[in-house]
Amino acid sequence: MRFFSRTLDKLKGALRKTAQVLNTDVRTLFVPGRRIDEAFLNELEEKFLLADMGVGNVTAIVDAIRERWRLGKIRNASEAQSVVREQLLSGWTDQDRELRFAATGPTVLLVAGINGAGKTTSIAKLAWLLKNQMNKKVMLCASDTFRAAAVDQLTIWAGRLGVEIIKHQMGSDPAAVAYDACEAAKSRGMDVLIVDTAGRLHTQEHLMRELTKIRDVVAKRIDGAPHEVLLVLDATTGQNAIVQAKMFSRSIGITGLVLAKLDGTAKGGVVLSIRDQLSIPVKFIGLGETPQDIETFDPTRFVAALFGDTEGEPQAQTADSSR
Amino acid sequence: MLDLLSDKLSGVFRGLSGRGRISEENIREAMREVRTALLEADVNYTVVKEFTDRVLQKALGQEVIRSLQPGQLMIKIVHDELVELMGPVDTKIYLVQPPPTIIMMCGLQGSGKTTTCGKLALLLKGRGHHPMLAAADLQRPAAVEQLRVLGEQVGVPVYTDPSRVAAHGDVAKGAAVAVCRAAIQQAKQTGRDIVILDTAGRLHIDDELMGELKEINAQLNPHQIYLVLDAMSGQDAVNSAKAFNAQLELDGLILTKFDSDTRGGALLSAKMVTGKPVKFLGVGEKLDRLEEFRPEGMAQRILGMGDIVGLVSDAMEKFDQEETARLQEKMQKGQFTLDDFMAQMSQVKKLGPMGKVMSMIPGMSELSRQVNMGEGDVENQMGRMHAIYNSMTRVERQKTELLDGNRRRRIARGAGVGLNEVGQFIKQFEMSRDMMRAVGGMGMMGKMRLMKSLMSGGISALGAPGGPILKTKRSGFMEKKDRNKKKRR
């Protein structure tokens, strides 16, 4: 399911702006031929810490580089870069990023996350992607019956995108909405049902139980559902994201992340820790407010962005030509 | 991973005591632990660097080297410095004459602006003001409707103009300014003394939308501009805070989602780079959950040392005050029965999983991890306790002395548990009752303090869930298996 996006320009633009905001030339770190020394290692550490990769993770990476350098295995910056890159990229497989579809009947995507992570917008993007790029019949399920006007917000998106929506009154039981949506999706021959849920902090136990209930209801109505359980993560989130992923996983078994708001200056490096510790891959990234601003996650480019360079540009041509 | 900074710091110095002087190098090592703690709390890298440099100078200058408890003294220096940096505290909202005072809220998408607008309106209304909300977020679908509903919920009028809402994919040029201007006009006419402008969420690098805010600022001169920031933000918090402050000259910060378990280093970062006071914290979904900022407790939280004050306020909120008072009275009189024991238990249960409660208590975060591991067990045991309790007659619950072997056997059969579990349950209750008599007179704070010292068996004695029916009697929560785990770590 590889598709090319017109959003690459946006990503590049964002990176350029990042450079402006940080007011540094991001390429100074890996000037060709630069020798490794303590100053270089410190800079590397700083860069990674600023990308929210977490102090434990970063220390391990930098120590590994330092060790290799001491042993004389690597000497200059570009060698260091490739070692790090290799290390960060190992374990990411293509299958990781693909959506799992049901063999027959509707595929159910359950979408959850904390308040303000970007769930509803991400759902609009997924719906656009599935409908317009993959020719699927998409239905939305408005199971966020808690936040004021959440149903309205999703309804507006459904109208704009031309997909169906199942909704109840505000304040009604979200699991009941999911129940109805499952029945409707089956009877109307939908390919995909995307279930929106209310934002909740992972520390709110009763709300996490409510989420489990929604999942259970969906699982009972449709065979093998939910086929994907996506956690939407705000790219600006710090180390707390790990706990979020852990707790949501415990309640509903997360199968993948949607990393939203990556068009800002935040790097979202915390997803590397989530991948390492919980084996939850990133499936999609969000790069703006319109439905088209979604991309499948590309680890190579993501890691390049962590270094603060815009490498991965070779893909730009492919993207341009495919437009 | 660092669980408890004070443990680590004591560790750094412990090995040295009795072996002569503590060197500068030891202090530097301790500072590295401080640095790690702050980075783990998402305090910005640059801010951490500045901070540790400052503290290092202070620590070297002070008597840490000659101190008998260098770890404790280091903690104190770090803590005091943090508190100082988070100050000066200024949670006042400055109002103007003649009214209305215009407050503009801004921030990134999803930081919680709209909800915070509702909360702030309610808070101001509670103080006798007559606020009005203005729906100037014309970008996000249904944002106007959301504010309208919130206004209804808090009983505050909302100015909306649905015709101004931006078309899909567009930025409605000049519309936000027009909405705000009309709202202020209406406020004047209807005698509202405060207008809160809810603006669209935007990225600080989005020139077009940042321009819109500058436009509102230039044309309408809001008296107070608050940046709403997610407490869970990572390193990037400084970039957005800096950019918003540079373009709008903020008057204060509001940090949201502080009811999560984030350590909240973003607060410190944003305060440091903007130099603007933190006004409020959002601490819950309900609209009355907006608190004035107080730095006490926040320093400990950022350092990963728990927040005892927060725990108490959390307890205050969730405990049924009357019920607690009733129980307290019974305790003092020594009339604590099994009924009260179970009532107390369900009160404590409301605080959330035991692990979470404990993680908020200084010195207990390590233990809380172990408790967390067996969270399911705790729930399970609660259920068994209820079964035992429900299998007793009313009289038995009042007078546990009646419970002889026969009665116990009957109860065990009724509850579907072993006879020994019934015995343990009763024993736990009796211990608890005795403890209650001793503690009864103390306030909440005193009890919490006691919890720490009474750790072995103490928690159960205070009627916390999971306490009773423990496999080992003397060691309370820490079973042998878990203890080994701790050592390995």
Side-chain angles (χ1 to χ4, degrees):
Chain A
M1 55 167 289
R2 200 167 170 78
F3 62 96
F4 298 104
S5 73
R6 63 172 191 86
T7 51
L8 192 75
D9 289 341
K10 270 205 174 179
L11 180 61
K12 278 196 287 183
L15 288 169
R16 206 162 43 236
K17 284 179 194 155
T18 307
Q20 282 165 8
V21 171
L22 295 175
N23 202 18
T24 51
D25 183 354
V26 288
R27 286 168 191 259
T28 49
L29 189 56
F30 293 107
V31 224
R34 179 173 172 180
R35 317 285 298 177
I36 298 175
D37 51 20
E38 279 300 328
F40 169 80
L41 292 171
N42 285 338
E43 272 177 58
L44 196 63
E45 184 187 37
E46 176 179 354
K47 218 135 253 169
F48 287 161
L49 284 173
L50 284 173
D52 285 316
M53 281 168 63
V55 64
N57 202 4
V58 172
T59 310
I61 294 170
V62 174
D63 283 351
I65 296 281
R66 183 179 281 116
E67 197 52 35
R68 288 195 192 205
W69 166 57
R70 285 218 179 111
L71 295 169
K73 286 180 184 163
I74 51 173
R75 285 168 206 288
N76 62 42
S78 58
E79 284 168 340
Q81 190 177 15
S82 54
V83 169
V84 176
R85 194 159 285 190
E86 204 174 290
Q87 202 170 331
L88 292 180
L89 287 174
S90 67
W92 297 89
T93 66
D94 283 347
Q95 292 83 359
D96 266 0
R97 284 169 272 146
E98 277 167 21
L99 278 180
R100 210 156 57 90
F101 287 99
T104 56
T107 299
V108 181
L109 312 184
L110 180 60
V111 181
I114 65 159
N115 317 61
K119 282 175 300 303
T120 309
T121 309
S122 296
I123 287 171
K125 292 174 180 183
L126 285 169
W128 174 83
L129 178 69
L130 288 158
K131 177 176 183 263
N132 297 43
Q133 305 289 302
M134 300 167 84
N135 287 320
K136 305 276 185 195
K137 281 176 79 177
V138 179
M139 178 183 272
L140 305 183
C141 166
S143 278
D144 180 356
T145 55
F146 177 76
R147 205 206 65 199
V151 174
D152 298 306
Q153 190 180 348
L154 197 68
T155 308
I156 293 174
W157 278 122
R160 284 177 182 175
L161 295 164
V163 299
E164 297 201 39
I165 180 168
I166 298 295
K167 56 185 177 183
H168 286 191
Q169 296 282 316
M170 287 302 296
S172 53
D173 178 5
V177 190
Y179 182 104
D180 285 357
C182 287
E183 293 306 310
K186 280 191 287 189
S187 65
R188 296 185 207 170
M190 288 292 146
D191 296 319
V192 182
L193 173 68
I194 310 179
V195 183
D196 185 18
T197 61
R200 65 203 75 217
L201 293 177
H202 50 286
T203 45
Q204 293 161 327
E205 254 213 307
H206 59 298
L207 293 181
M208 295 306 278
R209 276 199 297 273
E210 176 191 278
L211 210 50
T212 313
K213 186 179 163 194
I214 297 174
R215 191 207 55 191
D216 290 348
V217 163
V218 168
K220 271 194 194 129
R221 301 322 302 168
I222 293 176
D223 224 24
H227 304 86
E228 290 281 357
V229 184
L230 300 174
L231 177 70
V232 179
L233 206 64
D234 185 334
T236 60
T237 312
Q239 298 307 302
N240 192 256
I242 301 172
V243 194
Q244 286 174 29
K246 210 175 277 177
M247 299 305 280
F248 274 95
S249 265
R250 195 182 285 178
S251 296
I252 47 171
I254 302 298
T255 60
L257 301 178
V258 178
L259 190 57
K261 308 182 200 175
L262 208 53
D263 50 332
T265 46
K267 298 276 175 53
V270 70
V271 298
L272 294 172
S273 303
I274 295 177
R275 179 71 178 73
D276 287 347
Q277 293 179 25
L278 305 167
S279 302
I280 301 174
V282 184
K283 300 227 168 181
F284 298 99
I285 58 173
L287 292 163
E289 289 193 308
T290 69
Q292 294 80 10
D293 297 329
I294 182 172
E295 279 192 47
T296 40
F297 179 71
D298 179 342
T300 317
R301 235 164 58 206
F302 180 76
V303 169
L306 289 179
F307 282 102
D309 61 28
T310 42
E311 212 175 298
E313 265 171 49
Q315 285 203 5
Q317 280 162 354
T318 345
D320 286 341
S321 59
S322 75
R323 218 185 295 167
Chain B
M1 287 283 268
L2 181 83
D3 295 309
L4 204 61
L5 185 65
S6 46
D7 280 359
K8 284 266 185 177
L9 290 190
S10 314
V12 169
F13 295 112
R14 197 181 298 127
L16 297 153
S17 53
R19 276 203 283 129
R21 289 168 58 92
I22 286 158
S23 69
E24 199 181 309
E25 181 48 38
N26 302 138
I27 292 182
R28 287 189 192 279
E29 193 184 331
M31 281 318 295
R32 276 194 286 276
E33 299 291 352
V34 173
R35 175 179 179 270
T36 307
L38 294 175
L39 285 170
E40 273 174 357
D42 292 320
V43 180
N44 178 265
Y45 176 84
T46 321
V47 173
V48 170
K49 212 166 164 188
E50 245 170 72
F51 178 82
T52 47
D53 285 351
R54 278 172 71 155
V55 174
L56 183 64
Q57 292 315 315
K58 283 208 174 169
L60 290 175
Q62 289 200 21
E63 302 287 284
V64 177
I65 289 177
R66 260 172 290 166
S67 164
L68 287 174
Q69 288 187 307
Q72 290 306 310
L73 188 56
M74 277 294 287
I75 286 279
K76 192 182 170 331
I77 296 171
V78 170
H79 179 266
D80 292 352
E81 188 73 15
L82 275 179
V83 171
E84 201 189 312
L85 285 175
M86 282 188 276
V89 179
D90 174 14
T91 56
K92 209 168 146 33
I93 296 177
Y94 295 91
L95 301 177
V96 295
Q97 283 299 333
T101 302
I102 303 164
I103 300 174
M104 179 162 94
M105 309 285 256
C106 59
L108 301 175
Q109 290 98 336
S111 55
K113 282 173 301 304
T114 308
T115 307
T116 305
C117 282
K119 287 180 177 178
L120 189 61
L122 182 65
L123 183 122
L124 289 167
K125 191 183 156 199
R127 290 179 182 175
H129 293 290
H130 304 280
M132 183 172 129
L133 292 159
D137 178 354
L138 307 170
Q139 300 298 323
R140 182 164 56 95
V144 172
E145 176 63 11
Q146 187 186 353
L147 193 69
R148 199 190 59 72
V149 173
L150 285 174
E152 218 164 74
Q153 286 172 0
V154 297
V156 167
V158 183
Y159 178 84
T160 62
D161 184 354
S163 70
R164 297 277 188 182
V165 172
H168 178 36
D170 264 3
V171 174
K173 264 229 175 322
V177 181
V179 167
C180 293
R181 178 174 290 131
I184 294 163
Q185 194 58 37
Q186 197 180 72
K188 281 179 188 161
Q189 284 162 3
T190 53
R192 312 306 296 189
D193 58 353
I194 298 169
V195 184
I196 303 170
L197 311 177
D198 180 27
T199 64
R202 64 205 73 215
L203 285 172
H204 50 288
I205 50 170
D206 185 330
D207 294 335
E208 195 175 5
L209 284 172
M210 287 305 280
E212 180 189 275
L213 287 183
K214 281 195 274 189
E215 186 86 356
I216 298 175
N217 191 23
Q219 295 204 20
L220 304 171
N221 271 315
H223 305 99
Q224 297 276 295
I225 304 179
Y226 297 147
L227 175 70
V228 181
L229 195 66
D230 187 331
M232 284 174 261
S233 306
Q235 296 289 321
D236 197 52
V238 295
N239 293 330
S240 50
K242 223 189 267 176
F244 274 98
N245 192 41
Q247 303 199 34
L248 296 167
E249 184 64 41
L250 303 172
D251 295 287
L253 309 169
I254 299 179
L255 276 288
T256 59
K257 307 179 203 174
F258 248 111
D259 47 330
S260 68
D261 53 0
T262 181
R263 302 249 299 263
L267 183 146
L268 185 66
S269 304
K271 168 72 179 63
M272 289 263 294
V273 296
T274 61
K276 298 296 154 59
V278 180
K279 297 277 181 186
F280 297 98
L281 304 182
V283 291
E285 295 234 346
K286 293 200 186 108
L287 291 168
D288 60 349
R289 304 297 287 140
L290 187 70
E291 279 177 3
E292 288 194 354
F293 170 67
R294 48 173 182 78
E296 302 81 24
M298 194 55 69
Q300 282 107 312
R301 181 165 177 167
I302 291 175
L303 289 170
M305 295 167 68
D307 179 4
I308 187 74
V309 192
L311 174 63
V312 174
S313 70
D314 205 28
M316 291 302 181
E317 187 207 352
K318 285 179 184 158
F319 274 34
D320 178 342
Q321 293 299 328
E322 279 174 32
E323 178 73 5
T324 309
R326 191 184 64 82
L327 288 174
Q328 200 124 35
E329 204 184 295
K330 292 196 103 177
M331 280 176 222
Q332 272 154 346
K333 290 185 186 157
Q335 300 167 336
F336 193 69
T337 66
L338 247 179
D339 289 323
D340 305 321
F341 179 62
M342 295 304 281
Q344 177 86 352
M345 195 84 72
S346 57
Q347 288 263 333
V348 177
K349 204 185 164 200
K350 279 190 214 158
L351 277 177
M354 205 51 212
K356 185 193 150 209
V357 176
M358 284 167 61
S359 69
M360 292 165 90
I361 304 171
M364 284 206 197
S365 54
E366 172 60 27
L367 209 56
S368 74
R369 297 177 141 249
Q370 296 171 3
V371 175
N372 257 335
M373 281 176 205
E375 220 166 77
D377 299 348
V378 172
E379 292 286 317
N380 200 359
Q381 287 183 345
M382 277 293 286
R384 296 171 87 86
M385 282 171 53
H386 271 285
I388 297 171
Y389 174 75
N390 289 336
S391 299
M392 292 180 178
T393 66
R394 209 169 291 160
V395 181
E396 284 167 347
R397 290 174 198 161
Q398 297 294 325
K399 285 188 158 183
T400 42
E401 306 82 72
L402 289 176
L403 295 168
D404 55 15
N406 262 334
R407 286 177 186 264
R408 287 181 191 213
R409 263 192 296 279
R410 190 204 76 236
I411 292 164
R413 257 203 318 278
V417 299
L419 189 58
N420 59 330
E421 282 183 64
V422 178
Q424 274 179 17
F425 176 64
I426 295 160
K427 193 166 276 175
Q428 289 288 344
F429 159 68
E430 283 168 352
M431 263 175 67
S432 186
R433 182 186 55 197
D434 297 344
M435 189 65 66
M436 286 302 172
R437 279 185 190 135
V439 188
M442 282 187 209
M444 197 61 211
M445 211 40 208
K447 270 187 227 163
M448 290 301 172
R449 239 177 258 130
L450 202 82
M451 278 175 94
K452 195 180 169 184
S453 53
L454 289 179
M455 208 30 229
S456 27
I459 287 240
S460 55
L462 284 170
I469 318 185
L470 284 162
K471 282 155 203 150
T472 47
K473 278 181 205 158
R474 236 179 268 159
S475 65
F477 273 99
M478 288 162 69
E479 289 164 30
K480 211 166 182 186
K481 185 176 71 186
D482 285 342
R483 233 185 244 146
N484 289 337
K485 253 177 207 148
K486 185 174 183 181
K487 264 181 208 151
R488 274 204 302 274
R489 195 169 280 134

